[in-house]
Amino acid sequence: MWMKDLFGTDKPVIGMMHLMALPTDPKYDPEGGIQKVLKRARADLHAIQEGGIDGILFCNEYSIPYLEDVRPVTIACMARIIGELRSEIRVPFGVDVASDAMKTYDLAAAVEADFIRETLSGAYAGNDGIADVKMGEIERHRIEVGCRNIKTLATLVPEGARQIAERPIEEVAKTVTFSLAPSALLVYGATAGSSIDASLVTRAKKATDIPIFASNGVKAETVASILSTADGCVVGTWLKHEGKFYNPVDSQRVAELMKKAKEARGTL
């Protein structure tokens, strides 16, 4: 599988780089400004790398509640922060502009990301309202901005949302694979940090040859079990001090999780 070539290991663990709120976001701190966001991002970057993570995913996670059409200032700020940190990044990295696939590819093109994570297909209802993902337009935009060869981690069903027309996960996996041929498919829990339903991973794997990743709910005590089924995982909240969403990354928690992940990979 492609993961070995990119991450240097099978069943990679990708750590989230949750960027603090940015200009126009409700939780943005105008007094601290972009320098405060950059300082926190730099500290989190070093902590997550010191813990031995396989890859990093930058996301405007604290832009809650998310926009379907993300404002240009968000992309500009994310590009600046990643650009300033670029020489300090020692592992493969990806980007995710929450809820806006078009701008995720714009950002990926600007910073030369190795991969993206995004919802690239489907129609969903959730706290943010109705989402109608324009798969054909997004895929054409990917090619137009020069991201033809970037690795794509595509959501099966987003967290905190349900399909408007409920379909079995096997059918979703099979049809998304046929239409997009993503690099991997993502299984989510209900909310950030919540556990995934492992049976969804098993069912999706039976429907496609595309790798299946667990995209949230990963913890030190569950990573071995998750990697026994999934082909990789993305972890964010558990890596923070006390495992709390808004806290900075704790390098010791990263190291603890990666120790368990490496032990599990050695026995699989």
Side-chain angles (χ1 to χ4, degrees):
M1 291 186 181
W2 61 266
M3 293 89 77
K4 182 78 170 181
D5 292 332
L6 180 58
F7 297 105
T9 182
D10 295 317
K11 294 182 178 281
V13 178
I14 300 170
M16 292 292 299
M17 280 286 297
H18 292 165
L19 298 181
M20 296 181 72
L22 299 164
T24 74
D25 291 338
K27 294 179 174 63
Y28 179 62
D29 176 9
E31 293 186 6
I34 292 300
Q35 286 303 317
K36 180 178 179 180
V37 181
L38 178 59
K39 182 178 180 180
R40 165 71 176 271
R42 176 170 279 115
D44 281 353
L45 172 64
H46 286 274
I48 205 167
Q49 289 184 149
E50 287 168 7
I53 207 76
D54 299 317
I56 290 171
L57 180 63
F58 289 87
C59 183
N60 59 321
E61 199 81 13
Y62 296 170
S63 291
I64 298 170
Y66 302 126
L67 294 169
E68 184 177 349
D69 183 9
V70 172
R71 296 184 178 168
V73 68
T74 301
I75 311 307
C77 290
M78 293 180 74
R80 177 191 169 182
I81 290 164
I82 296 170
E84 292 212 28
L85 297 176
R86 190 69 176 84
S87 64
E88 302 168 45
I89 300 173
R90 302 194 305 268
V91 297
F93 78 94
V95 296
D96 177 2
V97 179
S99 298
D100 193 331
M102 293 285 202
K103 293 188 180 69
T104 294
Y105 282 124
D106 291 339
L107 179 61
V111 301
E112 298 180 295
D114 297 300
F115 61 96
I116 63 99
R117 181 188 73 168
E118 192 54 81
T119 300
L120 302 174
S121 63
Y124 310 95
N127 289 339
D128 295 328
I130 304 296
D132 180 12
V133 183
K134 302 293 193 293
M135 180 172 61
E137 294 180 14
I138 292 167
E139 182 67 358
R140 284 163 175 78
H141 186 70
R142 177 175 75 92
I143 304 304
E144 289 168 355
V145 299
C147 289
R148 180 185 296 272
N149 296 321
I150 198 170
K151 299 302 180 185
T152 53
L153 312 185
T155 303
L156 281 171
V157 179
E159 66 183 18
R162 297 189 65 174
Q163 301 175 75
I164 291 177
E166 286 288 348
R167 296 186 298 152
I169 200 71
E170 295 90 342
E171 182 180 331
V172 178
K174 185 174 182 179
T175 54
V176 172
T177 298
F178 179 79
S179 296
L180 292 178
S183 306
L185 294 169
L186 303 167
V187 172
Y188 279 86
T191 59
S194 63
S195 298
I196 64 164
D197 181 347
S199 69
L200 294 179
V201 175
T202 301
R203 290 168 57 192
K205 286 178 70 68
K206 291 179 180 179
T208 178
D209 293 330
I210 300 292
I212 309 295
F213 280 37
S215 198
N216 60 354
V218 181
K219 305 175 182 179
E221 58 266 31
T222 63
V223 68
S225 174
I226 287 171
L227 291 180
S228 70
T229 305
D231 298 301
C233 61
V234 180
V235 55
T237 301
W238 197 89
L239 303 180
K240 310 296 189 70
H241 284 277
E242 301 179 346
K244 294 182 178 179
F245 181 71
Y246 285 108
N247 284 352
V249 173
D250 181 346
S251 62
Q252 293 184 342
R253 288 176 74 92
V254 181
E256 179 185 354
L257 182 135
M258 291 307 300
K259 180 176 183 292
K260 297 289 182 62
K262 291 173 182 176
E263 290 172 352
R265 290 191 298 225
T267 62
L268 296 174

